[in-house]
Amino acid sequence: MSVLVALTYSCGKSPITVHSPSGNISVSFIIAKGKALYAVSYNKMEVIKPSSFNFIFQNAQPLGENLRLDSIATRSFNNRWEMPWGDQHWVNNTHNELKVFISERSEPYRRFNITFRVFDDGLGFRYEFPEQPTMDSVIILAENTRFNLTGNHTCWWQPGDWDIYEHLYRKTPLAKIDAVNSKSKNHLAQTYIPENAVNTPVTMKSSEGIYLCFHEADVNNYAGATLRVDTVNLSLETALVGNDSGIKVRTKTPFNSPWRTIIITDKPGNIITSKLILNLNEPNRVGDVSWFEPMKYVGIWWEMHLGKSTWDMASGKHGATTANAKRYIDFAAKNGIKGLLVEGWNTGWEHWIGFDEREGIFDFVTPYPDYNLSEVVRYAKSKGVSLIMHHETSAAPRTYEQQLDTAYRLMQSLGVHAVKTGYVGTIIPKGEYHQGQWMVNHYRKVVEAAARYHIVVDAHEPFKGTGEWRTYPNVIARENFRGQEFNAWSTDGGNPPEHLTILPFTAQLAGPMDYTPGIFNLKLKPYKPDNQVNSTLAYQLALYVVIYSPIQMVSDLPENYEGHPAFQFIRDVGVDWEQSVVLDAEIGDYIAMAREERNTGRWFVGAITDENPRNLSIRFHFLKPNIKYKATFYIDGDDAHWDKNPTSYRIETREVDNNTVFDLKLAPGGGAAISIIPL
Ligand code: NOJ
Ligand code: CA
């Protein structure tokens, strides 16, 4: 903390330091020459150099100079909370807190606090503005919170797009980040990448092997933040998403900013299991959500992305027909799959995309004439399958807000408890963006309304998750990344094998991911001769363990699963976990995970690699001692290869216990999945 010490010396005060419970992470704070500075160290090594902040307001002076420390408060916190569903059952929330009370030494004498919470795997801090006479209505034009880094770290980043996260992650040194010119196709007509900034979560690795992941927690009536990159001074600074009027946040005191968060660890696996973001959110406000059960689901969905059928009816190839829905229901029921998503069921799809005027296109209650909604629901129920409604808004959120109660009342009357929403297109009204305050508030309105009707939400084209699934456990999943759909139609070659060896260390920090795994017909024949899924079949199976979501799609067409021996893994694999263990991982190279299903004592292992083949030695030490298990291995065939031979696989069974060590051979772009069932 040398620079901070120097600062201290020059202003004759010492910094205030707060340590994490084990002492491995320390945050120091000081006001020097009227500026507030914080710095962070990990195992005594500086990881964030003294860094400052300021706010720029409309019609008020900037805030950040001429500051005085009035007082401080500290506390230690330690509790454990239960996840109603999740990647683990119980979560420890153990941290130390420092609150600094600050005021301006000159007019307008504004007051605010900064609260730091320091955990053993990172920290969060936020600005808290109390009610006060000289600060009532607030219009924020910029919040510039700096993170001065200690080196030219290797970064896994995607551009700070104001609309969409459907970009491939790139790996470059910080100094080489060129977000504005980073081209990556997505299915919005246009997206807005205004400056050299990256979206969060963004993850980096220092030359000393320390990993830093930057994100934010509890974004609430505020704008999403991207991080502006200073490639010369090697630092980051929050760059809030705004609208075309230049305004970032409109609010009133009292208010808190979101938590600015940094996960810090020397083991990449700890990034995946970190609960820091969740712990910085408020406890459950929805109450009992036992009306939702984690599930696998099939869908009238992939067939549209393949062009086998369409969302609209005019094409003559309508996918959402009563008969087709029943075919999927029969398939789901036969295989113990509990959910069915039907897209293209409601009128409007003839005009949903590529039109400027998109208000009023969808009403979310009127089915196409060849789709008998109540009959589909009745038939599904009789077979133990429940429907996932689909509400594509075509990025016209005002239309959706007007319809919310009507749409959710219909779902309630049918006993349908889940909806997948979508926001394809640029936001109407023009000038608003998916990640701005206006949309943050829209997504929240939807979640709160849904909770009132006992509905869970899976949002596509969403605002990234910031841990609100703790507060609103009816937020079950989202698509804040390039999903499987890109493999069906993208013209840039689809998602490379390494894509999913990066997402768990980046996008997954935003919460459960609706990636939609499980494609068996990897070459997409005969529908898409020019596209393919870039992985082996065993890799697709492994994704059910590697990715976390309480809803996992069984995405391929039923005909591609019928009679397929490897489908047994998808039938068996759990979706709700007692605990999750990262066995081995390196970002962008490979991941091996094990998860224990709740209430059954069954374990599932998933391992994937990038385009390089790999041998991973898997220790089964996570199993309960003195119990024998039957393990079924779904592994790449000797000649498997993501491009040349993706469907080559083998199934082997053997008895294992907690002393077993097994060498997994992963093919290029390959994987392995293991189900482990107590004998
Ligand atoms: C984009 C979503 O990501 C995809 O899953 C959906 O099928 C289409 N929009 C249509 O809503
Ligand atoms: Ca999408």
Side-chain angles (χ1 to χ4, degrees):
M1 207 129 309
S2 53
V3 189
L4 206 58
V5 171
L7 272 171
T8 311
Y9 192 70
S10 68
C11 67
K13 283 180 277 179
S14 19
I16 307 152
T17 299
V18 54
H19 303 284
S20 65
S22 78
N24 64 336
I25 296 176
S26 308
V27 178
S28 296
F29 176 85
I30 196 166
I31 293 192
K33 302 204 170 103
K35 279 183 145 224
L37 293 159
Y38 76 98
V40 183
S41 67
Y42 175 72
N43 291 336
K44 305 222 157 43
M45 197 188 297
E46 187 172 57
V47 288
I48 301 289
K49 297 200 278 187
S51 302
S52 178
F53 77 94
N54 67 38
F55 279 86
I56 312 289
F57 301 107
Q58 194 174 67
N59 302 328
Q61 288 175 34
L63 179 75
E65 307 270 344
N66 241 342
L67 303 177
R68 179 177 71 198
L69 181 62
D70 293 328
S71 60
I72 65 164
T74 57
R75 68 166 189 161
S76 294
F77 191 87
N78 182 10
N79 84 354
R80 203 166 92 105
W81 56 276
E82 184 176 12
M83 298 180 91
W85 45 264
D87 56 335
Q88 66 188 56
H89 197 159
W90 293 95
V91 177
N92 289 325
N93 181 356
T94 310
H95 64 261
N96 291 329
E97 181 180 291
L98 167 69
K99 201 188 269 283
V100 292
F101 295 83
I102 301 171
S103 61
E104 288 178 303
R105 285 186 298 206
S106 54
E107 283 201 1
Y109 300 110
R110 288 166 296 194
R111 292 180 290 117
F112 65 101
N113 326 319
I114 308 177
T115 296
F116 295 91
R117 288 193 183 157
V118 190
F119 301 75
D120 284 339
D121 62 352
L123 70 140
F125 61 93
R126 72 174 179 199
Y127 310 97
E128 301 167 352
F129 292 90
E131 211 173 334
Q132 51 196 299
T134 54
M135 207 181 174
D136 178 30
S137 292
V138 176
I139 296 179
I140 299 175
L141 300 182
E143 176 207 311
N144 300 311
T145 297
R146 269 189 102 82
F147 306 91
N148 291 328
L149 303 172
T150 56
N152 189 13
H153 304 333
T154 301
C155 301
W156 288 268
W157 60 273
Q158 60 159 267
D161 190 323
W162 280 19
D163 275 309
I164 201 135
Y165 308 107
E166 298 181 17
H167 297 274
L168 290 175
Y169 280 84
R170 295 192 49 198
K171 176 188 176 186
T172 70
L174 185 87
K176 287 273 157 55
I177 290 178
D178 182 9
V180 178
N181 293 315
S182 151
K183 289 274 173 283
S184 154
K185 295 205 178 69
N186 57 59
H187 59 195
L188 286 187
Q190 63 192 109
T191 58
Y192 187 54
I193 305 173
E195 52 191 325
N196 198 26
V198 296
N199 251 316
T200 73
V202 60
T203 295
M204 24 195 102
K205 183 181 184 182
S206 77
S207 55
E208 298 87 12
I210 300 171
Y211 297 83
L212 302 170
C213 314
F214 295 84
H215 190 39
E216 51 185 329
D218 195 14
V219 178
N220 182 10
N221 191 25
Y222 208 83
T226 66
L227 293 173
R228 188 180 298 124
V229 183
D230 181 337
T231 53
V232 177
N233 297 305
L234 305 179
S235 75
L236 306 167
E237 189 171 59
T238 50
L240 299 178
V241 173
N243 58 26
D244 282 356
S245 73
I247 290 172
K248 304 291 169 33
V249 177
R250 263 177 213 279
T251 188
K252 255 173 99 67
T253 56
F255 75 93
N256 298 335
S257 77
W259 296 94
R260 306 283 158 229
T261 65
I262 318 174
I263 293 172
I264 309 171
T265 177
D266 54 12
K267 285 190 197 60
N270 292 347
I271 300 170
I272 297 179
T273 49
S274 173
K275 291 290 169 280
L276 180 110
I277 305 289
L278 282 175
N279 279 331
L280 288 168
N281 277 265
E282 298 294 314
N284 183 347
R285 253 182 232 154
V286 174
D288 176 31
V289 287
S290 58
W291 38 266
F292 163 69
E293 263 185 63
M295 62 182 168
K296 286 165 269 185
Y297 70 101
V298 295
I300 302 184
W301 177 78
W302 189 237
E303 56 178 79
M304 282 106 152
H305 287 270
L306 293 176
K308 180 187 175 197
S309 69
T310 58
W311 286 272
D312 68 84
M313 224 179 124
S315 70
K317 295 195 296 181
H318 189 212
T321 64
T322 309
N324 200 22
K326 289 188 174 179
R327 183 172 74 95
Y328 276 84
I329 291 165
D330 290 341
F331 171 75
K334 196 166 90 190
N335 293 290
I337 295 165
K338 295 278 187 261
L340 166 70
L341 166 75
V342 180
E343 295 202 358
W345 67 276
N346 57 333
T347 56
W349 288 88
E350 284 74 15
H351 298 103
W352 78 288
I353 200 169
F355 292 83
D356 279 345
E357 192 37 73
R358 278 170 272 132
E359 302 268 27
I361 296 294
F362 289 117
D363 68 9
F364 315 102
V365 291
T366 311
Y368 277 115
D370 57 349
Y371 182 72
N372 185 335
L373 173 62
S374 52
E375 170 58 13
V376 169
V377 173
R378 185 204 62 77
Y379 188 76
K381 215 175 270 174
S382 77
K383 302 250 167 169
V385 174
S386 60
L387 220 66
I388 300 175
M389 248 330 177
H390 186 232
H391 293 165
E392 172 58 61
T393 68
S394 62
R398 285 186 302 214
T399 295
Y400 193 37
E401 284 181 23
Q402 283 158 13
Q403 307 276 341
L404 271 183
D405 280 302
T406 318
Y408 291 171
R409 232 178 278 128
L410 172 67
M411 287 175 60
Q412 193 180 42
S413 72
L414 294 166
V416 174
H417 285 294
V419 66
K420 168 178 169 180
T421 58
Y423 296 83
V424 170
T426 51
I427 298 293
I428 310 217
K430 202 168 174 300
E432 294 293 346
Y433 297 86
H434 284 70
Q435 320 307 337
Q437 183 191 18
W438 193 80
M439 280 304 289
V440 165
N441 289 347
H442 167 77
Y443 289 114
R444 181 58 59 90
K445 257 181 237 167
V446 168
V447 164
E448 286 177 346
R452 288 197 295 276
Y453 290 93
H454 286 188
I455 290 168
V456 295
V457 182
D458 164 22
H460 280 227
E461 298 78 48
F463 174 59
K464 65 192 171 189
T466 61
E468 73 295 343
W469 54 297
R470 176 177 182 195
T471 315
Y472 298 94
N474 66 317
V475 174
I476 49 165
R478 52 160 57 72
E479 186 210 35
N480 58 303
F481 47 80
R482 254 173 77 126
Q484 182 89 277
E485 59 185 24
F486 274 75
N487 294 324
W489 40 251
S490 135
T491 52
D492 64 4
N495 300 336
E498 74 159 10
H499 186 52
L500 284 140
T501 66
I502 299 173
L503 293 187
F505 303 97
T506 50
Q508 178 88 77
L509 296 176
M513 295 174 33
D514 190 25
Y515 184 79
T516 70
I519 301 302
F520 277 18
N521 176 19
L522 295 143
K523 294 286 184 186
L524 312 180
K525 282 183 185 138
Y527 304 107
K528 288 285 184 154
D530 300 329
N531 293 81
Q532 66 177 38
V533 175
N534 303 313
S535 82
T536 68
L537 190 140
Y539 176 119
Q540 288 295 310
L541 297 180
L543 293 181
Y544 288 90
V545 185
V546 168
I547 293 168
Y548 171 65
S549 174
I551 53 161
Q552 287 278 29
M553 190 166 201
V554 180
S555 309
D556 210 340
L557 311 177
E559 53 268 38
N560 293 327
Y561 293 131
E562 294 285 7
H564 201 301
F567 190 56
Q568 189 57 39
F569 181 80
I570 298 184
R571 282 191 200 105
D572 291 339
V573 67
V575 276
D576 197 22
W577 308 107
E578 186 63 32
Q579 51 175 322
S580 295
V581 184
V582 181
L583 302 173
D584 200 358
E586 193 51 79
I587 307 178
D589 294 337
Y590 64 94
I591 306 179
M593 292 216 50
R595 300 192 197 263
E596 183 193 2
E597 191 177 29
R598 284 195 194 182
N599 304 321
T600 66
R602 295 177 171 204
W603 283 82
F604 297 88
V605 170
I608 58 169
T609 177
D610 60 6
E611 68 287 357
N612 298 306
R614 227 170 275 277
N615 292 325
L616 295 180
S617 171
I618 302 292
R619 288 173 47 222
F620 287 65
H621 64 285
F622 49 83
L623 295 176
K624 274 217 178 83
N626 307 320
I627 298 187
K628 295 273 178 216
Y629 296 80
K630 178 186 166 198
T632 308
F633 292 71
Y634 302 79
I635 49 186
D636 291 325
D638 290 336
D639 53 352
H641 182 282
W642 64 271
D643 188 31
K644 293 186 206 121
N645 200 358
T647 52
S648 165
Y649 76 98
R650 241 184 13 246
I651 302 179
E652 286 172 12
T653 55
R654 65 186 67 214
E655 217 175 271
V656 298
D657 60 31
N658 77 330
N659 293 313
T660 305
V661 178
F662 189 83
D663 289 329
L664 285 179
K665 244 183 97 202
L666 309 183
I674 316 172
S675 66
I676 309 169
I677 296 173
L679 283 170

